[in-house]
Amino acid sequence: MREVEGVVGRLGGRGDGVVDTDRGRFYVPYTVPGDRVRIAGGKARGDGFAADLREVMAPGPDRVEPGCQHFHACGGCTLQQLAPVAYGDWKRDLVVQALARRDLAPAVAPLFHPPPHDRRRAEFVARRVPKGVLLGFHERESLRVVDVADCLVLNPALVALLPGLRAALKPMMATGDAIDVHATVTESGIDLVLSGTWPRETLPGLSALADELDLARLSLRGRGWVEPVAVRRTPVVRFGGIGVTPPPAGFLQASPAAEQALTGLVRDFVGAARHVVDLYAGCGTFTLPLAAGGAVVRAYDDAAPAIGALTLAAGQGGLGGRVKAEVRDLSRRPLDLPELKKVEAVLFDPPRAGAREQTALLAKSDVPVVAAVSCDPSSFARDARLLVDGGYRLESVHPVDQFPHTGHVELAAVFRR
Ligand SMILES: C[S@@+](CC[C@H](N)C(=O)[O-])C[C@H]1O[C@@H](n2cnc3c(N)ncnc32)[C@H](O)[C@@H]1O
């Protein structure tokens, strides 16, 4: 398609600039409102077309210099060009708009920003090419790998891991091979999980890799399984002061500062409630601080390794009597009304799809406080509507920037009867 010129009117839901022209609407990445741009239109997208940015002819007022050498090439960040205040307002507005689409207009707090370099876990991709191993993130909407040398978002320990890991993987991969590399910073060192099928003869090499890189733990992951191959030190993270060994590649909040912010909010919401239910509990991010604060917590998650880790941590941390954790699929078997009787506060923190089945039942319950953590404003708004229709008041919503420089936003919220 021929090139077009126009002005970015606003940012869309994914963070791309929206340019309305007499040739139609274009979604242009790496732009800010007010930018006058030259663009090349491409495939149809929604009510318009995706477009490539050719030139910023005149910058908008909130355009800043991106801080990372890989910005534009790397698919990890899409919004480094936007000034922090405008960025915070835009992300908060994503939450406001999602709620407005369900006719909800609660108080929405300003966005919580974690500091740079706070992200403790990353899913890298490694690809063997004739010269060596490319290790980093995919390019935007592409399978090409950006060989990451630096990152504004990641904990420096993750960036420092990359050169040694490239060298160590080189003899173990054939040209053209690609694997996923899941890395988490823990108190005792890096917890690394490599995907893919590895021939038996590479296993001793993998153990040596754990020594060379001074990893806490190295695991292999295939379809539906994950197995530690070297545990040099037990990986430990801490929730409410209680040490937990997360399962390899198990869920953890990405940024510890964002996690602290969420935990603080959840504690405030739950207040002095003694009988608490934590739904979608993972390995205890919220269960353990709540139990350490005196509550008796029943925790549920469908991931057996996470529930195992939580149960062990609660026992070792002296909270065994106050935490009861159970493996349960909450979509198929949500907690029913008799199970919610006498519960003083419920917390739910579901995956992106939300907690439709469980909130439909919660809406009929008489639990006085329902706290929510969500990584998807749309599914949250749908579930919030169910609770509000059931008689709850959505008191406040607090957006948290768990994934800086991207279009993703996390939030915590509280409902009360
Ligand atoms: C966003 S994570 C939150 C975990 C935990 N609250 C935390 O902050 O670390 C969502 C959790 O929901 C669990 N999960 C996903 N689908 C589920 C289901 N149908 N029933 C129960 N748990 C589920 C996952 O295993 C994961 O631990």
Side-chain angles (χ1 to χ4, degrees):
M1 192 177 182
R2 280 211 339 253
E3 291 184 347
V4 197
E5 289 179 15
V7 175
V8 177
R10 60 182 172 87
L11 294 185
R14 291 196 231 161
D16 292 345
V18 180
V19 179
D20 285 317
T21 73
D22 51 11
R23 307 257 299 273
R25 171 166 288 181
F26 295 91
Y27 292 95
V28 195
Y30 312 121
T31 56
V32 306
D35 276 350
R36 168 163 281 284
V37 289
R38 192 160 55 78
I39 58 182
K43 284 189 201 146
R45 174 169 145 195
D47 55 357
F49 301 91
D52 288 333
L53 177 63
R54 291 284 190 255
E55 186 189 354
V56 178
M57 302 164 75
D62 292 315
R63 173 167 281 279
V64 293
E65 200 52 44
C68 175
Q69 58 175 299
H70 300 297
F71 188 61
H72 277 223
C74 177
C77 290
T78 48
L79 281 158
Q80 286 185 19
Q81 75 285 6
L82 184 60
V85 171
Y87 168 84
D89 289 347
W90 172 72
K91 271 209 166 168
R92 176 181 176 277
D93 201 49
L94 290 181
V95 174
V96 171
Q97 295 302 328
L99 290 163
R101 284 194 288 276
R102 300 281 177 174
D103 290 325
L104 296 167
V108 178
L111 182 72
F112 171 84
H113 296 264
H117 302 291
D118 195 53
R119 192 173 168 141
R120 68 168 158 214
R121 70 176 167 89
E123 186 89 38
F124 298 111
V125 55
R127 181 179 296 279
R128 181 72 160 91
V129 293
K131 281 191 180 157
V133 172
L134 301 177
L135 178 58
F137 297 115
H138 280 128
E139 288 182 14
R140 185 183 161 112
E141 290 169 17
S142 160
L143 287 179
R144 278 201 295 265
V145 178
V146 177
D147 205 30
V148 166
D150 205 359
C151 179
L152 287 185
V153 173
L154 294 181
N155 181 308
L158 291 173
V159 180
L161 170 78
L162 300 177
L165 186 55
R166 273 183 199 105
L169 287 174
K170 188 175 166 190
M172 296 184 194
M173 296 173 73
T175 298
D177 282 355
I179 59 163
D180 294 326
V181 176
H182 185 115
T184 306
V185 180
T186 75
E187 266 182 29
S188 33
I190 301 269
D191 187 18
L192 196 74
V193 181
L194 303 177
S195 72
T197 42
W198 299 81
R200 187 159 282 282
E201 58 275 17
T202 52
L203 290 183
L206 285 167
S207 258
L209 178 152
D211 291 336
E212 260 167 58
L213 300 178
D214 191 26
L215 300 177
R217 178 171 66 182
L218 174 65
S219 310
L220 295 184
R221 174 165 63 174
R223 236 177 247 274
W225 59 267
V226 52
E227 280 292 330
V229 290
V231 184
R232 300 179 63 252
R233 295 179 297 278
T234 304
V236 175
V237 293
R238 230 161 261 284
F239 303 135
I242 307 293
V244 180
T245 298
F251 180 88
L252 283 181
Q253 299 286 344
S255 145
E259 177 192 294
Q260 284 300 313
L262 293 170
T263 303
L265 288 161
V266 165
R267 272 197 177 123
D268 284 353
F269 298 158
V270 167
R274 252 194 79 68
H275 290 279
V276 179
V277 164
D278 183 3
L279 302 168
Y280 310 91
C283 54
T285 304
F286 304 117
T287 300
L288 291 168
L290 291 172
V296 175
V297 188
R298 275 154 52 201
Y300 299 87
D301 198 285
D302 72 349
I307 289 295
L310 167 54
T311 304
L312 190 65
Q316 288 174 345
L319 296 175
R322 268 190 254 149
V323 173
K324 188 173 170 297
E326 186 182 319
V327 179
R328 178 148 161 182
D329 182 333
L330 295 165
S331 305
R332 291 185 187 192
R333 213 157 65 81
L335 262 66
D336 59 22
L337 294 180
E339 289 173 299
L340 291 167
K341 234 183 165 52
K342 300 212 173 105
V343 172
E344 291 163 57
V346 166
L347 162 67
F348 69 95
D349 177 16
R352 214 158 266 287
R356 190 200 305 257
E357 296 77 9
Q358 185 63 71
T359 38
L361 275 161
L362 271 172
K364 295 180 190 157
S365 77
D366 53 14
V367 176
V369 181
V370 175
V373 173
S374 165
C375 56
D376 186 298
S378 298
S379 64
F380 168 73
R382 180 202 64 207
D383 295 344
R385 184 77 250 166
L386 289 174
L387 290 171
V388 169
D389 287 347
Y392 281 93
R393 182 164 49 86
L394 174 50
E395 203 172 78
S396 63
V397 179
H398 302 255
V400 170
D401 201 13
Q402 183 77 261
F403 299 99
H405 308 300
T406 73
H408 295 289
V409 61
E410 185 116 2
L411 61 86
V414 62
F415 303 81
R416 292 184 202 274
R417 276 237 180 264

